[in-house]
Amino acid sequence: SQTIHQWPATLVQPVGSPLSLECTVEGTSNPNLYWYRQAAGRGLQLLFYSVGIGQISSEVPQNLSASRPQDRQFILSSKKLLLSDSGFYLCAWSQRGDPKGEKLFFGSGTQLSVL
Amino acid sequence: QQQVKQSPQSLIVQKGGISIINCAYENTAFDYFPWYQQFPGKGPALLIAIRPDVSEKKEGRFTISFNKSAKQFSLHIMDSQPGDSATYFCAASSDFNSGGYQKVTFGIGTKLQVIP
């Protein structure tokens, strides 16, 4: 069966510090990968998605970047965190070409607090 | 611009009652409408989904009602239980493009509390 691992679960970082959140998927190959941010009252905001190694698309301009160095690994980074980067970050994957629809499978999330 | 409008943002229902969450969409190209359930501190999980070729889909106590002409769909939770207390997101997406990617647009979420 497929599993998605996301870490750390919580993170407290000072303003201006770097960030690296990692996500890995097991039990599938060539998945679509996503980073979402969840803020109260704003639902789930798609930040980045990737359809293959090295292929990253950004949905919104921001202080963050993403990379996909391996097929089942997705990394969210920042060189200098801002207060506004605080939030609940979710990694997700989907099976490419699923004819039944875009079923997203989410990780357990990282609660990031920038102080 | 919010393409999927969800209401209410919060809902309190007594145990055994019916919980109803409504969503409306604008993009007529949407053809897949899932609902996700999220417990505190966890990621959302797919609960139930529907395509517009049917007007209703039922799985246990959970039912999606779909009105294509009104561009609205709703989630009904029958015999609501305290264990159903969670945040529910409606969503919509359209056919895959040539890149194999299908963008999912989420509603703002509804925090449901079922009280004993």
Side-chain angles (χ1 to χ4, degrees):
Chain A
S1 62
Q2 301 91 356
T3 56
I4 178 169
H5 302 278
Q6 185 181 346
W7 67 93
T10 59
L11 189 61
V12 180
Q13 291 284 95
V15 170
S17 64
L19 172 73
S20 180
L21 301 181
E22 190 166 341
C23 170
T24 59
V25 180
E26 296 178 358
T28 188
S29 59
N30 205 24
N32 290 334
L33 296 173
Y34 310 83
W35 279 109
Y36 281 86
R37 178 167 59 199
Q38 184 174 7
R42 295 190 60 185
L44 293 161
Q45 181 186 32
L46 179 63
L47 302 176
F48 301 95
Y49 69 90
S50 172
V51 298
I53 296 174
Q55 300 179 60
I56 309 295
S57 296
S58 174
E59 283 292 301
V60 293
Q62 58 212 324
N63 185 42
L64 302 168
S65 62
S67 61
R68 184 172 178 172
Q70 300 180 43
D71 181 47
R72 292 169 289 176
Q73 183 185 26
F74 207 21
I75 298 172
L76 183 68
S77 304
S78 173
K79 292 182 179 179
K80 290 184 177 182
L81 283 169
L82 306 172
L83 288 173
S84 58
D85 292 325
S86 294
F88 191 51
Y89 289 83
L90 290 157
C91 180
W93 74 274
S94 67
Q95 188 64 56
R96 183 154 332 147
D98 184 352
K100 296 182 180 179
E102 184 76 346
K103 297 178 184 177
L104 291 170
F105 300 91
F106 287 88
S108 54
T110 295
Q111 184 64 53
L112 172 65
S113 298
V114 182
L115 306 177
Chain B
Q1 183 180 3
Q2 186 182 0
Q3 295 189 50
V4 179
K5 296 182 179 179
Q6 183 173 349
S7 63
Q9 289 193 38
S10 64
L11 181 62
I12 299 175
V13 174
Q14 286 217 312
K15 178 181 176 182
I18 303 174
S19 303
I20 302 174
I21 304 170
N22 300 300
C23 286
Y25 63 97
E26 301 166 356
N27 187 349
T28 55
F30 287 147
D31 69 345
Y32 179 67
F33 301 88
W35 285 86
Y36 286 82
Q37 178 188 55
Q38 183 183 31
F39 293 106
K42 302 295 183 183
L46 180 65
L47 181 64
I48 187 173
I50 196 170
R51 287 202 177 273
D53 53 344
V54 296
S55 60
E56 185 175 282
K57 183 173 182 180
K58 183 177 182 180
E59 290 184 2
R61 297 184 292 108
F62 299 89
T63 301
I64 300 178
S65 297
F66 186 83
N67 186 329
K68 188 174 181 179
S69 61
K71 293 187 286 186
Q72 295 175 346
F73 58 110
S74 59
L75 176 69
H76 296 237
I77 306 174
M78 310 301 288
D79 187 26
S80 299
Q81 299 296 314
D84 297 330
S85 298
T87 298
Y88 293 82
F89 293 95
C90 63
S93 62
S94 55
D95 284 339
F96 282 104
N97 57 29
S98 59
Y101 164 67
Q102 191 181 59
K103 181 179 178 180
V104 180
T105 300
F106 286 88
I108 203 168
T110 297
K111 187 173 183 179
L112 170 66
Q113 184 181 0
V114 181
I115 55 177

